[in-house]
Amino acid sequence: MTSLLDPAIAQRIKAAVDAGFDAQLADTAALVAIPSTRGAESPAQDLMADLMRARGYAMDDWTIAMEDLKDLPDCGVIQHDFSRARTVVGTYHPPAVTGRSLILQGHCDVVPTGPLSMWETGPFTPVIKDGWMYGRGAADMKSGTIAALYALDAIRAAGLAPGGRIHLQSVIEEESTGVGALSTLQRGYRADCALLPEPTDQAFNGVCVGVIWFRLKVSGEPTHVAVAGEGSNAIRAAFNVIQALEGLERDWNERAKSDPYYGAMDHPINFNPGIIKGGDWASSVPAWCDIDCRIAVLPGWNVDDCRREIEACVAAAAKTHSFLANNPPRVEWSGYLSHGYALAPNPEIETLIQAAHEASSEQPFAHRYSTALNDARFYSLYYDIPAFCYGPHGEKIHGFNERVSLQSLRETTKAIALFIAGWCGVEALPAA
């Protein structure tokens, strides 16, 4: 078995990444071009399955059954048509098992684009310009998913065979519930470590917040706007509840000051009213308003306790309103119900990824505490699989003109390949 730090082996692997980088960008662009928003991920999964199958990996491609997942920890709430939801896993089996196993996981789902007029180029027409690839999902996280695939390609192109079993997993629902990753665990996929190439700016990310999604359903009393005072405007009343939840956000950020990871960070808890729908006629006082919200929770915070705090906050706000006092808003859980996580100290993993990073880039190695959520939580919290994120530099994630740095992507691919070599070990392929 060959060490990661063998300079000659590392150089061969990095050269193989460089040799395959144009093909890697072409496959990345092909994946970015697929508008794999929520409920429409199947064409992206088809492409990922084709890419893995072409490499000879053992394939598993299945439809997710929520009935199988609903009792598992941190299973999110699905409210849309889920009948076509799929997970795709390609497994590399070594000629002989001489090293440790690894999961490489990416998600192919992307968030909506927003108004197309605000994009400089089409969100699903990937463009390479000035060292960047633009497009929805280019950074978050289709480039990282393809990087993992090509990192394993580079090892094999260098005449080497990883000594451990490797699962390449393409999942959905990372942006809304996490049940795609959860489905792989329910299916029985396990490994000694999991690496998720999310866009971390080439930093080691082993700590992230949890997230709760909920929907406020606020009622009103409709009447003609000419006599608006005789009714109760549900949209205006909803603003009162939102202001109360902003107060809860302030309280939670004050509580966060004692957190061992986020205590020094300004405002790690972010509350966002993200979708609002209400009323049905401009000249009628609206009788209803629904607002979809997101709020973060820190590692170690109990999601059920936080849900009760949200409900209590909404109830208290309703009591101060003349109409809502007798018609309190309902709180519905509508997506994530996820705890935060912190990877237990693992010097071997951190040493290996640091060595891989430093051998692939001229950037200092850094740790990152994420104020967003990722799928690594399932592995670390509930299945005793150490999991972390490490991926390229992206900008405008979830915004207009999302983009990924191609230099960082090249370096990330090399770092992942070197980590695979160090974690799984490599053997020379027999001569043809």
Side-chain angles (χ1 to χ4, degrees):
M1 192 178 298
T2 306
S3 167
L4 166 69
L5 300 180
D6 183 317
I9 293 295
Q11 188 56 43
R12 282 164 55 189
I13 292 172
K14 291 190 291 182
V17 170
D18 288 332
F21 196 61
D22 286 346
Q24 178 179 338
L25 291 184
D27 282 338
T28 302
L31 189 58
V32 172
I34 298 172
S36 51
T37 50
R38 196 179 196 196
E41 306 96 342
S42 281
Q45 292 291 56
D46 289 340
L47 176 58
M48 290 305 303
D50 288 344
L51 291 172
M52 295 180 197
R53 191 174 293 111
R55 287 158 169 80
Y57 300 139
M59 296 305 302
D60 193 7
D61 184 341
W62 71 94
T63 301
I64 302 172
M66 284 304 298
E67 183 65 24
D68 297 334
L69 308 182
K70 61 182 179 61
D71 296 324
L72 296 181
D74 280 14
C75 183
V77 180
I78 298 290
Q79 295 185 318
H80 66 286
D81 179 8
F82 207 60
S83 60
R84 294 173 293 174
R86 292 162 50 207
T87 303
V88 173
V89 177
T91 299
Y92 162 83
H93 291 286
V97 177
T98 57
R100 292 168 295 196
S101 56
L102 179 65
I103 288 169
L104 297 170
Q105 180 181 293
H107 66 86
C108 69
D109 55 306
V110 299
V111 300
T113 63
L116 298 182
S117 62
M118 299 295 290
W119 286 76
E120 293 178 9
T121 59
F124 300 115
T125 307
V127 171
I128 292 177
K129 182 175 63 174
D130 299 328
W132 299 85
M133 179 182 289
Y134 291 79
R136 173 61 82 230
D140 186 18
M141 62 166 296
K142 292 180 175 181
S143 59
T145 302
I146 298 296
L149 189 71
Y150 272 82
L152 187 50
D153 283 356
I155 294 174
R156 300 170 79 182
L160 304 166
R165 168 176 40 85
I166 300 173
H167 300 302
L168 293 125
Q169 301 182 171
S170 179
V171 303
I172 65 171
E173 282 288 317
E174 190 274 348
E175 299 286 6
S176 43
T177 63
V179 298
L182 195 57
S183 75
T184 68
L185 290 157
Q186 187 275 330
R187 190 82 161 180
Y189 287 98
R190 303 288 188 274
D192 296 313
C193 178
L195 189 166
L196 288 66
E198 292 273 7
T200 65
D201 294 337
Q202 297 174 265
F204 178 86
N205 180 198
V207 179
C208 79
V209 300
V211 165
I212 299 172
W213 275 16
F214 59 97
R215 179 173 297 127
L216 296 174
K217 298 187 74 69
V218 182
S219 298
E221 179 66 32
T223 185
H224 195 289
V225 71
V227 287
E230 297 178 4
S232 177
N233 188 307
I235 294 175
R236 287 184 171 179
F239 289 158
N240 293 348
V241 181
I242 291 296
Q243 289 175 333
L245 288 164
E246 289 171 344
L248 181 66
E249 176 190 31
R250 288 190 293 272
D251 291 344
W252 284 8
N253 274 298
E254 189 65 27
R255 190 183 307 171
K257 290 180 179 178
S258 63
D259 186 82
Y261 304 103
Y262 292 93
M265 186 181 296
D266 182 48
H267 209 283
I269 301 290
N270 289 298
F271 164 67
N272 185 55
I275 304 173
I276 182 168
K277 299 177 182 178
D280 45 31
W281 195 252
S283 289
S284 295
V285 170
W288 64 281
C289 182
D290 293 351
I291 303 181
D292 284 35
C293 302
R294 175 267 200 202
I295 195 166
V297 299
L298 294 192
W301 292 13
N302 183 276
V303 164
D304 288 336
D305 290 345
C306 291
R307 290 164 70 182
R308 284 188 282 270
E309 287 191 59
I310 291 167
E311 290 173 329
C313 177
V314 172
K319 289 178 181 178
T320 67
H321 188 275
S322 58
F323 181 81
L324 297 185
N326 296 312
N327 301 273
R330 299 200 313 274
V331 178
E332 293 183 351
W333 312 108
S334 56
Y336 286 123
L337 291 171
S338 295
H339 290 79
Y341 90 100
L343 177 65
N346 194 310
E348 185 176 12
I349 286 176
E350 293 189 36
T351 297
L352 281 173
I353 191 61
Q354 180 172 353
H357 170 84
E358 291 175 348
S360 304
S361 74
E362 297 180 357
Q363 302 299 317
F365 185 70
H367 287 70
R368 177 183 182 185
Y369 302 151
S370 176
T371 53
L373 183 65
N374 62 67
D375 282 336
R377 66 192 183 279
F378 293 113
Y379 299 98
S380 292
L381 285 175
Y382 306 119
Y383 292 88
D384 198 28
I385 299 171
F388 68 97
C389 298
Y390 175 91
H393 171 63
E395 295 182 354
K396 307 294 186 180
I397 293 170
H398 287 212
F400 302 124
N401 306 312
E402 178 181 349
R403 64 182 189 171
V404 64
S405 158
L406 300 188
Q407 180 62 28
S408 77
L409 182 58
R410 186 190 296 264
E411 293 170 357
T412 293
T413 308
K414 293 176 181 179
I416 294 172
L418 295 178
F419 181 83
I420 294 169
W423 182 258
C424 301
V426 289
E427 304 278 0
L429 286 172

